[in-house]
Amino acid sequence: MNYLKELSEGIEHLITASGFATSFRSPLIGCAAADDQVFTGIKSITHQGHMLPEDLLPGAMSVIAFFLPYSKEIVQSNLEAKKVSRKWAVAYVETNKLINDICLEAKKIFGEGGIKVAWEKPTHSFDKQKLMSTWSHRHAAYAAGLGTFGLNNLFITDAGCAGRVGSFVIDAYVTPTTKPSGEKCLHKKGGDCGECIALCPTGALTKEGFDRQRCYQWLLKWDNYYSDLPLTDVCGKCSLGKCSTTGY
């Protein structure tokens, strides 16, 4: 069975059947070995509390990652809005559910072959002091060859960075995806870009680094603003530059 092909078809079906207001472009899927050097060195890259694939699933052999790129309509709505657009806020809520549904679908697909699946929820599983995830879906996507990290501290794929990343772990071997040979971020490629810095409304993002606390306090403001929605600590302005819908 071609598990990744079946998973891709399953994701497309879930999106179509969801009835969500949020629209997406075609999803990307990749795979990494559980002992990839990204994971063996993850604690030094991120923090000591970061989990390894085997912490999620004893006997883990592969990590599957996927990227759900928002439609250009969703991106444009947030670019044009002086505040955070409601479409962007709703997309965040709906995509959280979609990511969990995708993992449940993966459990069903791989389970038919006797393969176990485990995952960490798509958001709000982080160290409250360091504001760093206990499982980084973006690093999983990097290990799985879906793209590279940008100056905006986001993950840039061939479909850009305006979207959401999810991942899960399985106890079977799937051939790893080849990692990209170069950077997707124009700034890291030596270009004069930095649009993400100009778009950041708080000054949390600079060429020298990223102030997580300042950014997070801004995100919480929008959770309060969209109080009729579930937890909506979002902004996304830094994902709306040249790399929003394409990787260079």
Side-chain angles (χ1 to χ4, degrees):
M1 179 187 291
N2 187 332
Y3 288 108
L4 295 190
K5 182 176 183 294
E6 188 164 344
L7 177 63
S8 179
E9 293 172 352
I11 292 175
E12 294 279 12
H13 174 73
L14 285 171
I15 292 173
T16 301
S18 68
F20 288 158
T22 306
S23 52
F24 302 88
R25 289 170 290 132
S26 297
L28 305 178
I29 300 175
C31 179
D35 61 356
D36 186 279
Q37 62 182 0
V38 172
F39 299 118
T40 58
I42 195 70
K43 291 181 184 291
S44 60
I45 297 172
T46 57
H47 62 104
Q48 289 302 306
H50 194 287
M51 293 187 291
L52 301 176
E54 63 211 46
D55 294 325
L56 282 175
L57 180 65
M61 296 182 67
S62 298
V63 178
I64 312 294
F66 51 91
F67 179 66
L68 305 171
Y70 291 151
S71 68
K72 292 183 178 180
E73 175 193 3
I74 303 294
V75 174
Q76 192 65 26
S77 76
N78 202 24
L79 186 61
E80 293 175 352
K82 291 182 179 180
K83 301 175 180 178
V84 174
S85 76
R86 186 174 181 85
K87 285 184 178 180
W88 189 271
V90 169
Y92 176 77
V93 173
E94 292 185 336
T95 311
N96 280 340
K97 183 179 186 309
L98 178 60
I99 290 172
N100 188 66
D101 288 346
I102 289 170
C103 291
L104 288 171
E105 179 71 9
K107 184 177 181 179
K108 175 183 175 183
I109 292 171
F110 286 93
E112 291 176 354
I115 299 169
K116 294 179 181 178
V117 177
W119 64 92
E120 185 70 357
K121 60 184 181 179
T123 190
H124 306 123
S125 56
F126 55 83
D127 184 300
K128 300 300 189 295
Q129 299 300 318
K130 297 178 180 178
L131 298 180
M132 299 182 76
S133 301
T134 51
W135 173 263
S136 171
H137 296 283
R138 288 180 292 174
H139 279 86
Y142 174 67
L146 292 183
T148 62
F149 288 91
L151 177 63
N152 54 7
N153 206 39
L154 299 178
F155 189 70
I156 305 174
T157 72
D158 285 341
C161 62
R164 298 289 302 284
V165 178
S167 62
F168 57 88
V169 177
I170 62 174
D171 64 349
Y173 180 79
V174 176
T175 303
T177 310
T178 302
K179 292 182 178 63
S181 58
E183 296 285 352
K184 304 275 183 200
C185 173
L186 286 174
H187 175 79
K188 289 190 174 183
K189 290 177 73 170
D192 183 19
C193 183
E195 279 193 6
C196 52
I197 292 175
L199 286 165
C200 177
T202 68
L205 182 65
T206 68
K207 289 185 178 180
E208 288 69 44
F210 174 57
D211 187 331
R212 295 176 184 274
Q213 293 292 341
R214 178 180 290 187
C215 176
Y216 187 57
Q217 291 307 310
W218 177 254
L219 302 185
L220 292 177
K221 172 182 177 179
W222 299 107
D223 177 46
N224 183 61
Y225 184 79
Y226 289 114
S227 59
D228 61 310
L229 297 175
L231 186 56
T232 316
D233 46 348
V234 295
C235 172
K237 296 295 186 179
C238 64
S239 70
L240 307 176
K242 291 186 177 73
C243 60
S244 61
T245 58
T246 187
Y248 290 88

